[in-house]
Amino acid sequence: MLRRPDEVNTPQHSTHLYASDHLIVRRGQEFQLKVTFDRPYKPSDDQFAVEFVIGGSPQYSKGTYIPVSVAKDRQSPWAGRVVDSTDNVVTVGITPAPDCIVGKWRTYVAVVTPYGIRRTRRDESRDLYVLFNAWATGDSVFLDDADEREECVLNEVGVIYHGAYDDMSERPWNFGQFDYGVLDACLFIMDKAAMPITNRGDAIKVARKASAMLNSHDDDGVLVGNWSGDYTYGVAPTSWTGSTEILLNYSSSKTPVCYAQCWVYAAVFNTFLRCLGIPARVVTNFFSAHDNDGNLKTDVILDENGRIDKHRTKDSIWNYHCWNECYMSRPDLPQGFGGWQAVDATPQETSDGIYRCGPASVQAIKHGQICFPFDAPFLFAEVNSDVVFYSRNPRDGTLEPVKVNSSHVGRMVVTKVPGQDARRDITDQYKFPEGSPEERTVLEKAEEYGCHREKATPPEADVELDMPLMEVRVGDDFELKLEFNNTSDQARTVDVYVSGNVVYYTGVTSSEFLFKTPRVILDPKKGRRVEGGGGDYMRKLVEQANLHFIATGKVKETGQIITSMRVSGLAKVSEEMMVTVEFTNPFKFNLEDVYVRVEGPGVMPPKYKHYRWCTEAHYPQPSVLCSNGTWCWLIQVYHFTRLIDH
């Protein structure tokens, strides 16, 4: 099968990184096999074919049985030729069709004899994996940018961006698409989904099916979502450092793995796509709207006192949300809408009755063509929603818009720069600059396809409210400041409520730690700064918490509502290497039940350790001896007055 790294196939097909016992090639590109007979091959007399079959009941008409003849007078879906013939050994060159089925093929040699066709017996060592090919112009996933291709197919480590728009953080991730067993795990996902074999050469269908299968809703897919903060029966989403352990656990146990949040879904989905050869990358959208009711607006309902009505406000804005982009042609769409496609495995809303999202053309989203499949309206809303504040009349329940913010959502969309550990702003690939004529045209186009934007223009209040940017380091005290400006010629009295909440990154409130109701009196044409106070938030912090502040005021003389929101928030090959990992506790209190997870692609499998006490200024320091994967734990734990040495 010529599968060794020093043989012809894997270097030419860029599959040399896969840890596998089988030959792995990419479709639309020739690979070679050597066939050994019991006597020299005579082209004029001997007839033979190399046969490839996939699935349970292979049929020629369905493309699941492919006989490849080297005779020029015999046609085959896959091209075949004799590259070399020496003594009894014939080297055959075979080129799979650029649209053939992706998966694990079985290989046979069939020979025409006077007694009929005879073929070799089943031998698992001759199984062959065929993948999508981003290097082949005839493949639907062809990507002609060499740097992007290197990053989005061959890079097995990456960075995922998270946090807040003005306080961005990085999360390293081991995609591990070449690790042993991962390719089989990815193929198992399609088997578990009962995806028809004949659909597995279509990148669009593969991405859409995987979007559903990466979450456990509907179909016992790979990952169970959990945003509660209670991860008793699984692994906390923030503890995962790579995809390998998740995929191998799923394929061996055949049951969903606990737990995931958006970046875990996106990271594992990225591994799946890259492993099968589809160019893919993880993107992060900051201030990402979750439109529950499908009106392409983020509706915030205020009660008669100007406070947010949490029972009636169903839409939410995530501080950030991660999804994937995969690169492919879209023959089902008009020309020009191929290229990067947005796909999302995080279960937010159903699509055709199943929790999945995409693939949707990023180009179509940018130009407001939300009529095209799949799920373009939802993705359009994630980056383009208006945030509309409504005042609810307590007597009849009618809603009146009091403020429209058209630039809050989709503040920035970022991904990793190819070949560098730096971020790249790709917001302009999703939308035109806020307020530009092009953006207005796109919004009008989107309205033709059902995007009902808020047409009412609330009268401008003559009192302005602003909340200056405030950086709050976890554990620090802070003082919230509000700035008022009265632009009218008359005095104004504003009844304000200030609420500070600990929120999950999804925008869902965990608890309120600050609530004040000052009355502010403003002189004509004057401004005023008001201290909004601080609050004890430390005991109410949750995982990946942000502090969300909202100040809403009602002008007594005019009845107008004003509001403002703010979210704070070199190793050598084949030589032994010692790695020391050190963590520092920045807080004044002890940290208990600390989990440490470490892994390295191609060097060591995932390792983890649990510490029940960490009362020193520094965490225990695990040292990793990568040559044999063993751990040398250097730990000193002080507990009360007794020194325990492990």
Side-chain angles (χ1 to χ4, degrees), residues 112-128:
V112 178
T113 76
Y115 312 101
I117 295 177
R118 297 289 183 264
R119 57 177 47 87
T120 54
R121 294 184 177 89
R122 172 85 172 96
D123 187 338
E124 290 188 3
S125 69
R126 298 174 187 150
D127 288 349
L128 167 78

Side-chain angles (χ1 to χ4, degrees), residues 27-212:
R27 64 187 192 177
Q29 180 178 342
E30 185 182 80
F31 65 92
Q32 296 181 13
L33 304 176
K34 285 188 177 181
V35 183
T36 303
F37 296 99
D38 63 354
R39 61 168 174 79
Y41 166 63
K42 299 177 182 178
S44 58
D45 300 331
D46 298 330
Q47 298 180 42
F48 74 94
V50 183
E51 299 179 326
F52 300 91
V53 297
I54 191 170
S57 54
Q59 300 178 44
Y60 182 85
S61 60
K62 293 185 176 181
T64 54
Y65 164 61
I66 309 289
V68 182
S69 173
V70 297
K72 295 181 180 180
D73 58 341
R74 292 178 178 270
Q75 298 297 316
S76 171
W78 296 11
R81 69 185 182 100
V82 173
V83 176
D84 183 48
S85 179
T86 305
D87 295 328
N88 295 4
V89 179
V90 178
T91 303
V92 181
I94 297 170
T95 306
D99 60 351
C100 75
I101 295 167
V102 167
K104 191 176 184 179
W105 293 76
R106 303 184 295 278
T107 308
Y108 302 88
V109 176
V111 180
V112 178
T113 76
Y115 312 101
I117 295 177
R118 297 289 183 264
R119 57 177 47 87
T120 54
R121 294 184 177 89
R122 172 85 172 96
D123 187 338
E124 290 188 3
S125 69
R126 298 174 187 150
D127 288 349
L128 167 78
Y129 294 91
V130 179
L131 309 179
F132 291 97
N133 194 349
W135 287 260
T137 56
D139 198 307
S140 62
V141 303
F142 171 65
L143 177 58
D144 59 355
D145 187 319
D147 291 337
E148 287 277 15
R149 193 169 57 219
E150 184 79 16
E151 176 71 37
C152 297
V153 180
L154 298 183
N155 193 357
E156 54 187 327
V157 293
V159 175
I160 301 173
Y161 298 97
H162 65 106
Y165 160 72
D166 50 5
D167 186 20
M168 212 174 295
S169 301
E170 300 177 357
R171 176 176 281 113
W173 194 271
N174 170 31
F175 298 117
Q177 68 266 35
F178 307 122
D179 287 353
Y180 193 88
V182 170
L183 178 54
D184 283 323
C186 293
L187 296 180
F188 168 75
I189 291 171
M190 293 191 286
D191 292 339
K192 184 72 181 292
M195 185 180 186
I197 292 289
T198 52
N199 289 349
R200 300 188 189 186
D202 188 327
I204 300 171
K205 293 178 180 177
V206 168
R208 184 152 174 81
K209 177 61 71 174
S211 170

Side-chain angles (χ1 to χ4, degrees), residues 523-540:
D523 294 330
K525 297 291 186 180
K526 291 288 182 69
R528 182 178 175 185
R529 171 172 286 196
V530 177
E531 303 290 342
D536 182 11
Y537 60 90
M538 282 298 295
R539 297 186 182 277
K540 298 183 178 182

Side-chain angles (χ1 to χ4, degrees), residues 468-537:
L469 178 63
M470 175 182 56
E471 293 185 5
V472 181
R473 288 187 56 186
V474 175
D476 289 353
D477 296 330
F478 67 92
E479 188 70 28
L480 185 65
K481 296 179 176 60
L482 305 176
E483 293 182 351
F484 296 84
N485 185 33
N486 181 7
T487 62
S488 72
D489 296 325
Q490 301 174 354
R492 292 287 184 255
T493 301
V494 186
D495 290 315
V496 186
Y497 92 83
V498 182
S499 177
N501 298 273
V502 174
V503 299
Y504 295 95
Y505 80 94
T506 58
V508 175
T509 299
S510 168
S511 58
E512 187 177 61
F513 67 89
L514 170 65
F515 181 72
K516 293 191 175 184
T517 57
R519 169 171 283 192
V520 180
I521 300 176
L522 301 170
D523 294 330
K525 297 291 186 180
K526 291 288 182 69
R528 182 178 175 185
R529 171 172 286 196
V530 177
E531 303 290 342
D536 182 11
Y537 60 90

